[in-house]
Amino acid sequence: MAKPDLPYLIIDFDSTFTQVEGLDELADIALQGHPDRTKVVGDIRALTDSGMNGSISFSESLRRRLGLLSARREHLPLLVAQLKTKVSDSIVRNRDFFRQFPGRVYIVSSGFREFIEPVVADFGIPSEYVLANTFTYDEAGNISGFDASNVLSRDGGKIEQLRQLNLPGDVYVLGDGYTDYQIREAGLANRFYAFTENVTRDAVVARADEVVPSFDEFLYQNKLPMTLSYPKNRIRVLLLENIETTAEKLFREEGYQVEIVQGGLDEDELVARIEGVSILGIRSKTQVTQRVLDAANRLIAVGAFCIGTNQIDLVGCMKKGVAVFNAPFSNTRSVVELALSEIIALARRLPEKSEKMHQGEWDKSAKGAFEVRGKKLGIVGYGNIGTQLSVVAEALGMQVFYYDISEKLQLGNAHKFKTLHELLQQVDIVTLHVDGRPSNTNLIGAEEFAMMKPGAIFLNNSRGHVVDVPALAAALRSGHLGGAAVDVFPYEPKTNSEPFESELRGLPNVLLTPHIGGSTAEAQRNIAEFVPERIMQYVNSGNTQQSVNFPNIQLPDQQAHRLIHIHANVPGVLARINNVLANRHVNILGQYLKTNEHIGYVITDIDKQYEPEVIDELRHVEHTIKFRVLY
């Protein structure tokens, strides 16, 4: 692939090449143990900001900062080591870029050569392309000031430095400070890019030709070689339904744009918001339908921040090339604890006892109350939640029975019933932990309630539509059932301001909760970490491990171009992909294919040298659903 032309690129060091200001970090090191360290470091940082945004002159900012510094020569190696760990993420990601264009990149900084040179040398930028100030020292090795003869120590120093360089051809400046913009203002650069990955200075942003949140964005805009195929700051994330804030934090740290919407959206609302969104995060209320998918022009992944995925058209997502990830384990313990607390509360008839006490009625009676020890617990659905509930309930002395349509390894002394009806007839407490597949609709109705023992207790913490709610209400009113706890409903309010309506309201010994099975701080934090990590692995490396609708592949790291190809599962597609690569003499370093009944997922790692036409031809391979160059 031919190397594109690069204008001369002038890059600032502090808060651009690195995430921090060098003098601020030096102050932090030099003032260790100083009683006023926090105040002095704060004063230095304030002076840095004032000089960078143009509110005071640069020379005044530099002079006053060095006066507060109290640094010595031996502090500099410590500073260099620290700065090497604080190079801007997008600069690190594109390390190879600097070696590809020797002699075209200058570091022009009002910082100091002593700590800049060794940091940028790791990126192949030689010392003669570093233009910066130098320290002066007294006989004891204290930093006493700076070389005043260096033009970069003065106001307008970068302007004068660029005049002396007298670079032929186009010049682009990338920086975060006002002094960087002044190069463009003086007519010595064709374009100024305000770099905002680490800090945003409003006065600088307002004057920039372009604002770039990352080095990836700069390279992308100028069609220059980059590690990623697409800047992360262009990836839009839409998070709905009050997802725990850790998810937003993780996505923002990755460099994505994040939009938050409180509560769920109905289909029309989501259709209106989904255009341009790359990653959608939902919980259980929002429905991802075919109509939503038809409007989703950039969607690559959906995160279900919960266990269930019946609210998502999984096959529709698959055929659109959209990977779906959920959190199958993260809230298991929370749901188990809720179920266990409900069993005990209902066995002791606590809901009606508490209500009477609030009404001023003292009803001290053991009627209808019993211990759970020795009672028969019937678990319908022996998955992650059902198995853990089985273990905990057995530890309380309960006899555990279960029914599942799949063969599952029983834990402890749990006993499997062959049919659902057999379980319903013999246990004292029935708890549902099934998935939301359509065939489970009204799994438990009037016939099933009639089979249960008189006085039995019933729990549903799985999916609202799996229970015939009017039939449950009738069984409770008749006294056939001794109590019930329901956390999920066929229709649930989209927001906390919408009223809740149900036939179960007001019935005795009935616990109604607003779908809070996984609503604990621990569960929500775990989910908010787990789902973004899966999605970001998919976006960054192509890994689909634990996707609920894509073929699962765990990929190795590879220093090559990685091509992601999603296609309809029909014969011959892999051969066509390889024909394109062979005809263009592209060397394959690794290739991985996995299929399911609807799609094929091919990951191809190729040599970094290839013609641009290769990508266009791969996009147009017959039966392609989605294609992207990963890096």
Side-chain angles (χ1 to χ4, degrees):
M1 185 164 58
K3 189 183 296 182
D5 293 333
L6 176 69
Y8 285 101
L9 180 57
I10 309 300
I11 302 180
D12 183 34
F13 183 77
D14 294 311
S15 294
T16 298
F17 199 93
T18 60
Q19 302 167 23
V20 293
E21 295 286 325
L23 284 185
D24 296 356
E25 298 299 299
L26 180 57
D28 205 39
I29 293 169
L31 294 169
Q32 290 285 342
H34 192 286
D36 295 325
R37 174 171 170 258
T38 301
K39 180 182 182 305
V40 175
V41 171
D43 290 345
I44 289 173
R45 287 180 175 156
L47 287 167
T48 297
D49 288 339
S50 296
M52 289 299 101
N53 64 28
S55 58
I56 64 173
S57 70
F58 168 75
S59 59
E60 182 182 356
S61 167
L62 181 60
R63 179 181 55 78
R64 289 169 62 182
R65 281 183 286 163
L66 288 178
L68 294 169
L69 199 55
S70 302
R72 295 176 53 79
R73 191 191 298 270
E74 59 261 32
H75 292 139
L76 293 175
L78 298 174
L79 173 62
V80 169
Q82 185 159 306
L83 290 177
K84 285 187 176 185
T85 69
K86 294 189 175 183
V87 176
S88 296
D89 290 342
S90 62
I91 297 285
V92 173
R93 197 158 47 239
N94 293 283
R95 180 186 296 267
D96 289 347
F97 167 84
F98 299 97
R99 299 186 186 277
Q100 290 181 51
F101 294 95
R104 306 298 290 187
V105 178
Y106 284 84
I107 304 297
V108 179
S109 172
S110 301
F112 288 80
R113 178 178 292 276
E114 287 90 338
F115 58 76
I116 295 175
E117 268 189 20
V119 174
V120 303
D122 290 350
F123 292 76
I125 301 174
S127 59
E128 58 265 34
Y129 289 88
V130 176
L131 304 171
N133 282 300
T134 54
F135 289 118
T136 58
Y137 308 88
D138 64 18
E139 293 180 357
N142 297 304
I143 293 177
S144 58
F146 53 87
D147 178 7
S149 66
N150 189 320
V151 296
L152 288 166
S153 69
R154 308 169 197 157
D155 291 340
K158 289 188 177 181
I159 296 172
E160 182 57 33
Q161 184 68 79
L162 264 291
R163 286 198 177 108
Q164 291 180 15
L165 278 176
N166 193 27
L167 297 172
D170 290 344
V171 175
Y172 291 175
V173 177
L174 183 73
D176 65 282
Y178 192 78
T179 57
D180 303 309
Y181 158 70
Q182 287 179 318
I183 299 172
R184 169 79 163 102
E185 185 183 40
L188 297 168
N190 302 82
R191 296 184 72 76
F192 168 61
Y193 294 82
F195 186 80
T196 60
E197 181 171 328
N198 306 308
V199 63
T200 300
R201 309 184 200 279
D202 293 339
V204 178
V205 167
R207 292 167 170 80
D209 294 295
E210 298 285 348
V211 178
V212 290
S214 66
F215 194 50
D216 304 302
E217 177 66 22
F218 170 81
L219 297 175
Y220 185 79
Q221 287 189 20
N222 289 285
K223 297 180 173 56
L224 294 167
M226 53 190 288
T227 298
L228 303 175
S229 62
Y230 193 70
K232 293 187 177 186
N233 57 275
R234 291 190 174 219
I235 294 176
R236 285 182 54 203
V237 180
L238 177 61
L239 298 180
L240 311 179
E241 301 187 56
N242 303 305
I243 292 169
E244 206 267 347
T245 56
T246 300
E248 177 188 359
K249 177 174 176 287
L250 290 173
F251 282 131
R252 289 195 189 280
E253 287 176 351
E254 190 69 8
Y256 301 160
Q257 298 179 52
V258 182
E259 181 183 2
I260 304 295
V261 175
Q262 304 300 325
L265 297 179
D266 63 26
E267 186 181 56
D268 289 340
E269 292 169 327
L270 187 53
V271 165
R273 301 288 284 265
I274 198 68
E275 184 178 356
V277 171
S278 299
I279 297 168
L280 174 65
I282 63 172
R283 292 177 72 185
S284 56
K285 295 175 185 175
T286 302
Q287 303 291 310
V288 180
T289 64
Q290 185 61 54
R291 184 166 163 247
V292 170
L293 293 171
D294 290 341
N297 61 330
R298 300 198 68 87
L299 195 63
I300 59 175
V302 174
F305 286 73
C306 52
I307 294 177
T309 55
N310 58 295
Q311 73 279 33
I312 302 169
D313 183 347
L314 295 178
V315 174
C317 284
M318 197 188 311
K319 292 180 177 180
K320 180 91 173 180
V322 176
V324 179
F325 298 87
N326 69 338
F329 316 112
S330 300
N331 66 358
T332 299
R333 180 68 186 194
S334 295
V335 178
V336 167
E337 290 187 5
L338 177 66
L340 198 63
S341 69
E342 290 169 340
I343 290 169
I344 295 172
L346 293 171
R348 298 299 300 272
R349 305 194 71 85
L350 296 184
E352 61 182 19
K353 296 292 185 185
S354 177
E355 183 180 0
K356 287 181 179 181
M357 290 292 285
H358 281 287
Q359 294 173 353
E361 182 180 346
W362 184 271
D363 180 18
K364 181 176 169 61
S365 168
K367 182 179 179 181
F370 55 86
E371 292 182 356
V372 299
R373 181 178 53 174
K375 299 301 182 291
K376 294 179 180 179
L377 173 65
I379 300 172
V380 182
Y382 203 62
N384 297 323
I385 294 172
T387 52
Q388 191 169 141
L389 177 59
S390 170
V391 172
V392 178
E394 191 171 304
L396 282 177
M398 302 186 77
Q399 300 178 59
V400 177
F401 301 85
Y402 71 92
Y403 168 73
D404 199 293
I405 59 173
S406 301
E407 193 60 41
K408 299 290 181 69
L409 175 66
Q410 62 193 51
L411 301 182
N413 296 311
H415 174 77
K416 179 182 179 180
F417 280 120
K418 293 181 179 179
T419 67
L420 174 60
H421 289 177
E422 186 181 5
L423 179 142
L424 295 175
Q425 291 167 356
Q426 297 194 40
V427 301
D428 304 301
I429 300 156
V430 175
T431 178
L432 302 187
H433 301 287
V434 298
D435 61 31
R437 69 187 68 185
S439 60
N440 281 338
T441 300
N442 290 336
L443 177 70
I444 306 294
E447 180 182 353
E448 287 73 25
F449 288 124
M451 291 179 183
M452 292 172 63
K453 288 182 176 181
I457 287 172
F458 176 78
L459 282 68
N460 182 19
N461 293 309
S462 58
R463 300 291 181 273
H465 67 272
V466 305
V467 174
D468 181 342
V469 174
L472 172 58
L476 288 163
R477 288 194 190 97
S478 70
H480 179 64
L481 293 184
V486 181
D487 186 51
V488 289
F489 303 88
Y491 174 80
E492 297 178 358
K494 295 186 183 69
T495 66
N496 289 343
S497 60
E498 184 180 337
F500 166 70
E501 300 292 341
S502 174
E503 297 95 328
L504 300 174
R505 287 175 53 186
L507 296 180
N509 208 35
V510 173
L511 284 168
L512 302 179
T513 49
H515 205 149
I516 57 168
S519 296
T520 62
E522 295 85 354
Q524 292 307 303
R525 185 170 58 250
N526 291 340
I527 292 169
E529 292 173 353
F530 184 87
V531 177
E533 284 171 1
R534 298 284 82 72
I535 291 174
M536 290 187 294
Q537 278 195 12
Y538 173 62
V539 172
N540 293 339
S541 69
N543 282 334
T544 54
Q545 198 70 17
Q546 295 180 307
S547 168
V548 296
N549 71 330
F550 263 42
N552 276 208
I553 299 180
Q554 182 72 40
L555 297 164
D557 292 333
Q558 180 66 268
Q559 296 302 312
H561 281 297
R562 176 162 287 176
L563 311 178
I564 305 293
H565 195 279
I566 305 163
H567 60 268
N569 187 11
V570 297
V573 177
L574 182 61
R576 293 187 186 98
I577 291 171
N578 288 337
N579 283 339
V580 169
L581 298 175
N583 292 337
R584 292 288 182 174
H585 307 290
V586 175
N587 185 39
I588 296 177
L589 302 179
Q591 193 169 58
Y592 315 88
L593 165 67
K594 202 163 186 182
T595 63
N596 61 26
E597 65 271 30
H598 294 290
I599 65 168
Y601 185 53
V602 180
I603 299 91
T604 307
D605 294 332
I606 66 172
D607 190 276
K608 289 201 172 185
Q609 298 302 315
Y610 65 89
E611 298 168 334
E613 291 79 11
V614 169
I615 302 303
D616 186 61
E617 290 180 24
L618 289 172
R619 290 187 195 280
H620 290 91
V621 167
E622 190 178 4
H623 303 298
T624 296
I625 295 172
K626 190 166 286 186
F627 173 83
R628 63 187 175 111
V629 179
L630 198 59
Y631 46 75

